[in-house]
Amino acid sequence: MTGGVKAEPPVTQVLQDALAGKWPRPDLVLRAVDHSDAAQRRLAAESLSTWWEHIPGRVSLLRRLMNDQSADVQVSAIETAANRGGLELLVLAAKVILERDAAWLPMERVRIVDAMDQRHVRPYWMHGEPLPLQSWMDLAMASRNKPHRLASLKSQPIPPATVDVIESGLTSFVRAKCVLCHQVAGYGQPLGPELRGIGQCYDHLTLLRHVLDPSLDIHDAGRAEQIVTMDDQLIVGQIVDRDDSAIWVRTQMTRPAERRRIERGQIRSRRPSPVSPMPVGLTDRLTPTQLAELAVFLRTDGGERVMLDAEPHH
């Protein structure tokens, strides 16, 4: 065996280990900011968000990263500005967002809109000033299409059940098309299961789990049927009407007025469907903040009840 100096692990590995262990390493952040690898510069931006108070010259470093040649690094720096920075950095973030408007990739737009829609950032752009981002944010949120993961929502703050949160939750209730099948506080259509009192049954995270995975626990009132016809067609939907000769099936919950007539003599078999008729992905258009506000809207019955820290039960 030959002797020698042990090779030093890459900055990225050491920095990732430090982030996982939650101990600040300003020296590694400074090295990563100047690294030729964009992945390490992105990690530097993420580290600034985690260790903001411990990094000397943090504002100057974040300015550099927001002007980086890599769009990925820029987005990470914008996320850090939204998480930790004040008005000075938010103004710079808005400038970068607008200057690169046509160049952002769809997933980069999703990351930006999710960061800038945090409740503590909204007041800066909601009415167009001091950040001229309202039009950009409105368009970006309208085109948002990214699935949520429960693991990432665990760290999302639960907003208080204030009037503005309830109103924003109602907006999310409409935007996610919940109103087509559910009714809360007089809003929507009672085609699906009754949602009144759902906040007494589920805590915040459990409710979000059911919203993201509608088939996790299907209420009998909202269960669909799988119907196989004599010519081997599979029809899945809710039975909405029947008589001695036929049944009528709603196959699209997002188009509740549409019904399909099936003659009883054409039915080979029927059985309950293990899949909820509620489409998966309706909340993909909501930011994490909007999804949290939707949960508060549901848990308070649209502001009519006190939001409880309920243990999950049925």
Side-chain angles (χ1 to χ4, degrees):
M1 178 183 297
T2 59
V5 179
K6 184 178 180 180
E8 184 179 348
V11 174
T12 303
Q13 179 184 328
V14 180
L15 193 49
Q16 286 175 335
D17 290 344
L19 284 169
K22 302 187 186 307
W23 62 86
R25 288 294 304 270
D27 58 316
L28 296 178
V29 177
L30 294 174
R31 288 171 57 189
V33 167
D34 290 322
H35 206 282
S36 59
D37 184 0
Q40 301 210 35
R41 299 197 301 276
R42 171 180 174 165
L43 194 57
E46 295 172 356
S47 303
L48 279 171
S49 182
T50 303
W51 299 326
W52 184 251
E53 295 86 357
H54 301 279
I55 308 298
R58 53 188 175 269
V59 172
S60 296
L61 293 175
L62 195 56
R63 280 180 169 274
R64 286 172 54 188
L65 292 168
M66 271 198 275
N67 288 292
D68 198 271
Q69 293 181 344
S70 165
D72 190 31
V73 175
Q74 287 184 309
V75 174
S76 294
I78 290 169
E79 290 172 329
T80 294
N83 291 337
R84 306 303 297 268
L87 180 58
E88 176 187 1
L89 287 174
L90 290 174
V91 169
L92 177 59
K95 181 174 181 290
V96 173
I97 291 168
L98 295 176
E99 284 180 348
R100 284 189 50 89
D101 181 31
W104 296 121
L105 298 175
M107 283 299 98
E108 292 167 350
R109 287 179 181 272
V110 167
R111 290 173 57 195
I112 291 171
V113 76
D114 286 359
M116 299 300 285
D117 192 48
Q118 295 178 85
R119 292 194 58 79
H120 68 275
V121 181
R122 276 184 187 171
Y124 291 105
W125 60 261
M126 185 62 78
H127 302 293
E129 55 183 39
L131 306 181
L133 279 179
Q134 185 172 16
S135 296
W136 191 93
M137 289 292 292
D138 289 345
L139 289 172
M141 285 191 285
S143 62
R144 189 193 188 282
N145 183 24
K146 180 186 177 183
H148 292 281
R149 297 288 180 264
L150 195 65
S152 63
L153 294 174
K154 288 182 178 179
S155 60
Q156 181 72 23
I158 302 174
T162 58
V163 172
D164 66 316
V165 169
I166 299 300
E167 290 179 349
S168 186
L170 171 58
T171 299
S172 297
F173 186 70
V174 174
R175 187 158 181 256
K177 298 184 178 180
C178 307
V179 292
L180 296 180
C181 302
H182 299 289
Q183 190 174 65
V184 174
Y187 297 96
Q189 303 183 67
L191 301 177
E194 173 63 52
L195 295 184
R196 183 173 178 80
I198 196 170
Q200 314 300 308
C201 299
Y202 299 121
D203 60 20
H204 189 82
L205 201 60
T206 305
L207 177 58
L208 289 178
R209 180 181 290 112
H210 284 269
V211 170
L212 298 182
D213 184 4
S215 298
L216 190 63
D217 182 18
I218 306 174
H219 193 284
D220 288 341
R223 190 177 292 277
E225 288 196 25
Q226 293 181 343
I227 301 168
V228 179
T229 64
M230 298 301 291
D231 56 356
D232 293 327
Q233 291 186 61
L234 174 63
I235 302 169
V236 180
Q238 289 181 306
I239 310 301
V240 294
D241 202 358
R242 68 192 75 202
D243 61 22
D244 291 340
S245 61
I247 62 174
W248 282 260
V249 181
R250 180 189 296 121
T251 59
Q252 294 289 337
M253 293 297 286
T254 54
R255 295 196 291 272
E258 295 183 12
R259 302 178 179 189
R260 179 170 178 176
R261 187 177 190 275
I262 306 174
E263 298 290 336
R264 288 185 180 272
Q266 292 299 311
I267 298 174
R268 183 193 302 276
S269 65
R270 291 171 55 182
R271 69 184 182 92
S273 173
V275 179
S276 170
M278 174 178 165
V280 175
L282 291 179
T283 58
D284 292 356
R285 65 194 68 201
L286 302 179
T287 68
T289 300
Q290 292 170 334
L291 186 56
E293 292 166 337
L294 171 62
V296 171
F297 174 77
L298 295 175
R299 294 179 65 206
T300 60
D301 286 345
E304 295 181 357
R305 291 176 184 249
V306 175
M307 186 168 65
L308 301 178
D309 292 327
E311 291 298 324
H313 64 276
H314 301 294

